[in-house]
Amino acid sequence: MPIRLRLEDLGRLAGEMKARAAAERAQAEARRREAARLKAESEVFRREVADVTPLRPTGRREPETRHRSPQARQRQQDEQQALAQSLSDEIDIEQLLEADEALSFRRAGVGQDALARLRRGHWTVQAQLDLHGLRTDEAREQVVYFISQARRNGLRCVRVIHGKGLGSEGRQPVLKDKVLRWLPQQKEVIAFCQAPPSMGGSGALLVLLRQASRPQEAG
């Protein structure tokens, strides 16, 4: 007896196949970029050590050192990639931002005084990420990786440079709008505000990260 598929079944099947194909293409592109990065790093290393003369063996036994397991590093990378893919570009950012012109955000439980101190430069900027020239997907991955690494390294205040959009189509700050939506979705971020003119002004954000050593979120 022939099997008959309804039109909506065919549409759903086609959608699933399209989504699967898109996911496979994204994974293949991610693998390609990683392979290109590793190749470039290997070539740089070979050039750097081209003139190095190996030391003669001394017979001395070096103390054993503990290395971070490849599995843990891979799991960390997988988690960051999954988080990047889960960040939405469609959240209602207007409800999250403070009612001011500085595009400020503070998580529930973070006092207004912490945001004021962030604006005044109370915390030293310890690292920065420049997103100029990146496509949206690349920028999203970089933001997730940068914030995760900064938090893991115990940093408190960082700067994200998203640009003013002067070189984009329509001269609109596309990445700026995206970054404003991505940052609140990362639990490590407890507040951010527009950078002062001397640090990028409307083209950058100062980001305050959750403090690990104390239970309070800001202090």
Side-chain angles (χ1 to χ4, degrees):
M1 181 176 179
I3 299 176
R4 297 181 179 179
L5 293 177
R6 293 176 299 176
L7 184 59
E8 55 268 27
D9 293 331
L10 290 174
R12 182 171 61 253
L13 180 60
E16 292 175 353
M17 293 177 64
K18 183 177 180 181
R20 189 179 303 114
E24 291 175 353
R25 288 196 300 271
Q27 293 175 357
E29 177 63 18
R31 290 193 295 269
R32 185 194 65 77
R33 291 201 301 265
E34 179 64 12
R37 183 184 67 81
L38 293 175
K39 181 179 179 181
E41 291 180 352
S42 177
E43 291 176 352
V44 171
F45 176 76
R46 284 197 297 269
R47 289 197 300 268
E48 291 294 330
V49 302
D51 299 328
V52 174
T53 302
L55 295 175
R56 294 180 178 179
T58 62
R60 184 179 63 181
R61 184 177 180 180
E62 297 293 335
E64 295 183 0
T65 58
R66 292 186 177 183
H67 298 282
R68 188 176 183 183
S69 68
Q71 292 85 357
R73 186 179 297 108
Q74 183 61 50
R75 184 170 61 252
Q76 175 187 330
Q77 294 175 351
D78 292 343
E79 290 173 353
Q80 291 174 352
Q81 184 176 18
L83 175 58
Q85 294 173 351
S86 70
L87 294 187
S88 172
D89 296 343
E90 307 300 331
I91 66 170
D92 186 1
I93 192 63
E94 298 298 330
Q95 296 182 2
L96 300 177
L97 297 181
E98 296 286 310
D100 56 28
E101 298 180 356
L103 300 176
S104 304
F105 162 81
R106 59 187 174 98
R107 198 170 297 281
V110 176
Q112 183 66 46
D113 59 330
L115 195 54
R117 281 183 285 170
L118 182 62
R119 291 195 192 99
R120 295 196 303 266
H122 174 79
W123 289 280
T124 300
V125 174
Q126 299 166 293
Q128 70 176 28
L129 171 66
D130 192 339
L131 300 176
H132 280 104
L134 298 183
R135 299 193 302 269
T136 298
D137 289 343
E138 295 173 332
R140 182 189 290 111
E141 292 180 1
Q142 287 297 314
V143 168
V144 169
Y145 178 78
F146 175 70
I147 295 298
S148 298
Q149 290 299 108
R151 177 68 171 78
R152 186 168 287 107
N153 291 331
L155 306 187
R156 193 73 200 283
C157 182
V158 297
R159 179 170 62 147
V160 176
I161 305 171
H162 46 66
K164 300 180 180 180
L166 300 180
S168 62
E169 184 177 353
R171 300 175 68 85
Q172 295 298 318
V174 177
L175 284 183
K176 177 179 182 178
D177 182 70
K178 303 291 186 183
V179 172
L180 289 174
R181 286 169 165 77
W182 297 338
L183 289 177
Q185 297 178 68
Q186 295 184 258
K187 65 180 184 300
E188 298 94 341
V189 175
I190 63 173
F192 63 74
C193 68
Q194 182 174 295
S198 61
M199 300 186 68
S202 61
L205 294 172
L206 297 183
V207 183
L208 186 63
L209 303 180
R210 190 181 303 276
Q211 192 172 24
S213 59
R214 294 188 298 175
Q216 291 84 3
E217 287 191 319

